[in-house]
Amino acid sequence: EGIGLVRTEHMFFDGDRIYAVREMIMATTIEGREAALAKLLPYQREDFTNIFKALEGRPATIRLLDPPLHEFLPKEDEEGEMQETCKKTGLSREFIIQRIHELHEANPMLGHRGCRLGIAYPEITRMQARAIFEAAAEVIKMKIKCAPEIMIPLVGFKKELDLQAAIIKDVADAVMKETKVRISYKIGTMIEVPRGALTADEIAQTAQFFSFGTNDLTQTTLGMSRDDSGKFLPAYQNAEIIPTNPFASIDQTGVGKLIKIAVEGGRSTRPDIKLGICGEHGGDPSSIDFCHRVGLTYVSCSPYRVPIARLAAAQAAIRNK
């Protein structure tokens, strides 16, 4: 019935655009970043235009850039990729390696990613917002309904959301004035750090929707890395510390409590707030039943899980009448 999570960073790897992304990352001035972002804008706008046309009025929740920037850079030992990056960006191998070292993070999952990127580099948010709204204006002129929902990731402080929302609103106003097209849109956030859940009543003053990113919310709540936990989770299940893999099915007593707090807090401030879940938990029947009981209204999951999710949602509705 729509797209619950458009991962905009996936668009950055297509064709030659990755070199514009690298140019933007390695720029040391705002002017340099903006010049590289200007190359990315038409690519992103075209992507969003095609998405909105295909959806024919169904909702799309678009997440702004989320991963840490170093993920887009070539590896030092990828000689062919390194040479191609030097050629396409005009930068020296030494400079690229220096930037790789500068951007390296010991714990990137908790590092410079999500809304933290947009706060440090507001021009990234500005470019992505412009691509979204210019695409929306284009399809609305084609008489296709379009109401984008823009999701700001990794918010734990209301001020983070406020700063990013202000940029998005400014760009929306500018594009509507330039195109003379009225665009209806929502600004929301992904609740994926415990502080975001605990202060949801404050965050909902700005956010029109919450999408629970339960993959990262599980990692940050349990203090467990999804990538590394496979080494010890079987022992935990054998010792009956946990009944199931918390990255496959929501930990309802721990992570679930945070979700309940966030739902109650969000609704206390904004009774009509839209609430959903995105991630692999969105395709797990037990997790869907839990989401139904706490009052979430949609799930988003990988395409192959959608039939299971729809059946589980129907069963949850009957079971919890």
Side-chain angles (χ1 to χ4, degrees):
E1 300 298 328
I3 299 175
L5 178 60
V6 177
R7 294 177 169 95
T8 54
E9 61 272 4
H10 285 203
M11 304 169 176
F12 286 1
F13 289 100
D14 192 46
D16 272 358
R17 64 182 78 178
I18 187 63
Y19 300 108
V21 175
R22 288 172 180 172
E23 192 181 320
M24 180 268 291
I25 292 167
M26 290 184 285
T28 52
T29 65
I30 187 168
E31 292 80 14
R33 279 192 297 277
E34 285 179 338
L37 287 164
K39 296 177 187 177
L40 281 171
L41 175 63
Y43 291 126
Q44 289 246 287
R45 183 173 57 228
E46 184 185 2
D47 287 335
F48 293 131
T49 300
N50 289 331
I51 287 170
F52 295 149
K53 279 161 67 178
L55 282 170
E56 297 177 331
R58 296 179 188 88
T61 305
I62 300 165
R63 183 177 70 186
L64 299 185
L65 189 61
D66 185 41
L69 295 179
H70 72 86
E71 287 192 9
F72 299 102
L73 296 178
K75 304 284 187 294
E76 279 187 65
D77 54 359
E78 288 178 352
E79 202 50 53
E81 194 62 26
M82 185 67 80
Q83 285 177 355
E84 194 66 15
T85 301
C86 293
K87 192 169 105 182
K88 292 273 173 64
T89 62
L91 299 168
S92 70
R93 191 177 193 280
E94 293 71 28
F95 179 78
I96 293 170
I97 289 171
Q98 179 193 327
R99 288 296 282 154
I100 289 169
H101 291 171
E102 285 170 358
L103 290 165
H104 173 75
E105 294 185 321
N107 193 342
M109 198 210 115
L110 300 176
H112 195 181
R113 55 166 286 224
C115 64
R116 299 162 192 172
L117 287 172
I119 286 163
Y121 307 119
E123 53 275 13
I124 297 177
T125 303
R126 207 170 290 119
M127 180 279 286
Q128 291 203 290
R130 178 161 281 276
I132 292 165
F133 290 120
E134 286 183 353
E138 199 174 317
V139 299
I140 290 168
K141 284 179 179 176
M142 298 174 193
K143 308 289 188 227
I144 298 170
K145 285 183 183 175
C146 178
E149 299 178 1
I150 301 173
M151 182 161 70
I152 297 159
L154 214 73
V155 164
F157 297 84
K158 178 181 179 288
K159 187 69 183 282
E160 290 174 318
L161 183 60
D162 290 346
L163 290 169
Q164 292 289 281
I167 294 170
I168 293 165
K169 286 173 183 171
D170 284 348
V171 174
D173 291 345
V175 171
M176 285 192 265
K177 192 175 177 183
E178 291 160 19
T179 59
K180 298 182 173 54
V181 174
R182 175 89 193 139
I183 303 167
S184 175
Y185 66 94
K186 285 190 172 84
I187 295 174
T189 187
M190 189 179 267
I191 300 287
E192 51 192 325
V193 295
R195 195 183 195 283
L198 295 170
T199 60
D201 55 337
E202 294 176 18
I203 290 171
Q205 291 169 22
T206 303
Q208 293 167 283
F209 67 89
F210 290 161
S211 181
F212 289 92
T214 49
N215 297 340
D216 277 2
L217 188 59
T218 298
Q219 293 191 93
T220 52
T221 302
L222 301 187
M224 288 182 185
S225 162
R226 183 172 55 162
D227 298 327
D228 299 321
S229 60
K231 297 166 189 166
F232 59 83
L233 280 181
Y236 269 52
Q237 286 177 271
N238 288 339
E240 297 181 347
I241 296 169
I242 53 171
T244 56
N245 179 345
F247 298 108
S249 189
I250 288 176
D251 162 39
Q252 296 183 20
T253 50
V255 176
K257 190 171 281 189
L258 279 174
I259 293 172
K260 284 181 187 174
I261 289 167
V263 168
E264 288 162 11
R267 285 222 170 104
S268 70
T269 300
R270 191 183 291 269
D272 63 344
I273 193 165
K274 183 177 176 180
L275 302 167
I277 175 179
C278 64
E280 296 314 293
H281 291 110
D284 168 59
S286 172
S287 302
I288 288 170
D289 187 79
F290 169 78
C291 292
H292 181 90
R293 283 184 277 115
V294 297
L296 271 57
T297 54
Y298 74 92
V299 299
S300 166
C301 56
S302 300
Y304 75 93
R305 293 179 186 268
V306 168
I308 298 165
R310 294 187 73 166
L311 177 62
Q315 291 171 335
I318 293 166
R319 191 183 301 118
N320 298 295
K321 261 189 175 175

